[in-house]
Amino acid sequence: MGNFTALDYGILVFYLLGVAILGFFVGRNQSSTKDYFLGGRKIPWWSIGISVMATQAGAITFIGTPGWGYEGGLERITTFINVPLVMAFLIVTIVPFFYRTNVYTAYEYLERRFDRKTRTLTGVLFLISRGLATGITLFAPALVLSVITGWDTNLTIVLMAVLSIGYTVMGGISAVIWTDVIQMFVLWLGAIISAVAIFTEVPGGWSEILRVGSEAQLLDAFNFSFDPSVEYSIWAGIIGGFFLHAAYFGVDQSQIQRVLTSKSVSESKYSLIFTGFLMVPQMLLFLFIGVMLYAFYSHTGAPQYDDINELFPRFIVNELPAGISGLIIAGVFSGAMSSLDSALNSLSAVSIQDIYKKYFKKDASEEHYLKASRWATVFWGIYAMVFAFFAGNLGPLIEVINQIGSYFYGSLLGVFILAIFSRRANGFGAFIGIIAGMAAVLAIDRLADISWLYNNFFGAVVSVTAGYLASLLSKKPAAGQLEDYTFNWKSPKLNEVLDERSKTAARVADEEAGTMKKWPYILIGYFLLTIGLLILLQINY
């Protein structure tokens, strides 16, 4: 595209090389899989929180969410409105068990609580779902960037993949987190600059944006219909979206692995609290950019585009000054790499810890496992790159990723709920529950006309129900599978007991524990406040 100048290309190339060099630098001293997958458990909580958000706000979000806002306004926020509730749930329940039992992967916990076959099944399901989604995540920005820059799509796929593979192989999770921090600030800066630029170009400014948005009903965040076929009703967002994000942030290895790198269980919780407060405003910013674009193009006429995902990048290149365009397009690249690097490291972690160590090489040295981990990262990077070459034939990419996740997430969350909250559930029941949950989602998807968000709810409910009933058909789990791995409702000092048993978690002082107890209530209050403010906006405009 002619408006993408030599200066823009120079900034883009300089940024990409800078990120790659940073990734190599921060991970240069790794000597074990603990360093490679957990960063030595010494990553500060704020950087973990930013890294989690960077992966969530990847390139698909950066380029796709403004397109959503342009076409449907603020309605898609219902998918994310549940995040504060999810974080309140996770910091009380799932996350403390993962951290204090000193696991590398979420699925390792399931072997300790249930058995090896449950760990293997969940690990394989993660590899399938995340591996496919990673290829799609790589293709989406590559397609748009090829349109914007004029580069061939396959070239942009290879460029992002090679850079991400390179610094992730050498730097591990430390490289993932610290490059994500830089990439997140570039994403935020790009979004803010774009919003200011659109605002200054709309005749009449803020009042005109609100007027046009109101007339087009783009400021209506909530659809209160009880019809389950309404894709983004508030009920689908709160109920189905809660189960979606509880699984994504709580039991998806690409997310939970960052939480496990923190210095203590308290810091792991703070990283989730950070995400709980900032995720909704972040998504509102991207959606509102779409509303502002609608107001802008209502005066100038929208450009021609084949895909709504092209709309925002075209504005960046056509309307913003040289240099600024390059920086923001670099943000799109960075968003793609921040999603890709975390997926590669987590796919490698599950491949080595849950599969390779258990079935292929049980007693090798740390040096061997570290080398194997790097080769696994290369394998998954090539897998994602090859799959991305064919992803264009799958249809709308954001919906494809959501559909892939919805087949697995509910069942995976259900088996962890069984593990933590039921002392009667056993490995046989957990295995049956996962299969039943996925079968139920498949049947509902084929036979019922309901929002895909509900798939996660039904998958979890069926998984828990079928898993518990199947557990009654076989013997109770052994005491060793329960003592440190289930939630003991009768013991208010469970956290202190687990802290004492953990070899790596720091002791939590009484006053610190008391401070932590207030955060779930604050997050719930924040959720209600957000709902109220968006309803007021909808009523008044």
Side-chain angles (χ1 to χ4, degrees), residues 73-339:
L74 304 184
E75 184 182 54
R76 298 305 199 283
I77 195 61
T78 54
T79 307
F80 301 93
I81 199 72
N82 54 76
V83 170
L85 292 181
V86 169
M87 297 308 170
F89 170 73
L90 293 180
I91 65 177
V92 172
T93 57
I94 292 178
V95 169
F97 282 91
F98 289 163
Y99 191 91
R100 292 178 177 125
T101 50
N102 202 26
V103 296
Y104 281 72
T105 72
Y107 318 114
E108 183 180 349
Y109 164 81
L110 290 180
E111 180 177 10
R112 300 186 186 185
R113 173 60 182 87
F114 291 131
D115 53 29
R116 180 184 293 189
K117 69 176 182 297
T118 304
R119 174 183 182 177
T120 302
L121 176 61
T122 52
V124 169
L125 290 177
F126 167 77
L127 293 176
I128 293 172
S129 60
R130 183 52 53 193
L132 294 175
T134 301
I136 297 169
T137 300
L138 179 59
F139 173 79
L143 173 64
V144 173
L145 288 167
S146 71
V147 173
I148 299 305
T149 63
W151 298 350
D152 183 74
T153 304
N154 290 339
L155 174 62
T156 55
I157 289 173
V158 171
L159 177 62
M160 286 186 288
V162 168
L163 286 173
S164 300
I165 292 169
Y167 70 73
T168 306
V169 164
M170 298 307 298
I173 193 66
S174 296
V176 169
I177 290 175
W178 289 113
T179 54
D180 281 356
V181 170
I182 301 299
Q183 290 162 350
M184 189 70 254
F185 281 115
V186 173
L187 281 171
W188 282 337
L189 178 63
I192 292 171
I193 291 175
S194 301
V196 172
I198 300 170
F199 173 79
T200 58
E201 293 293 328
V202 175
W206 185 250
S207 60
E208 178 66 4
I209 292 170
L210 292 178
R211 184 192 68 80
V212 173
S214 178
E215 289 181 357
Q217 296 184 312
L218 297 180
L219 303 181
D220 294 351
F222 299 135
N223 184 330
F224 290 94
S225 171
F226 288 100
D227 183 352
S229 66
V230 176
E231 193 165 23
Y232 294 104
S233 72
I234 189 172
W235 315 115
I238 293 177
I239 300 172
F242 177 88
F243 283 85
L244 166 67
H245 285 121
Y248 179 68
F249 289 110
V251 303
D252 186 302
Q253 181 64 22
S254 66
Q255 297 300 310
I256 204 64
Q257 188 166 336
R258 259 78 65 84
V259 175
L260 296 176
T261 65
S262 59
K263 300 175 183 178
S264 68
V265 68
S266 294
E267 290 220 357
S268 68
K269 291 180 179 180
Y270 281 125
S271 69
L272 294 179
I273 292 168
F274 180 90
T275 305
F277 279 105
L278 292 187
M279 182 62 72
V280 174
Q282 174 179 271
M283 298 308 299
L284 280 172
L285 171 62
F286 285 120
L287 286 171
F288 204 80
I289 286 173
V291 176
M292 297 172 73
L293 282 173
Y294 186 91
F296 172 77
Y297 286 126
S298 69
H299 291 276
T300 64
Q304 294 295 318
Y305 56 87
D306 298 322
D307 188 329
I308 190 62
N309 292 325
E310 299 174 15
L311 187 68
F312 184 38
R314 285 185 181 276
F315 172 86
I316 292 170
V317 173
N318 291 331
E319 305 296 336
L320 296 184
I324 297 297
S325 298
L327 179 65
I328 299 176
I329 294 300
V332 178
F333 265 105
S334 73
M337 291 193 299
S338 68
S339 298

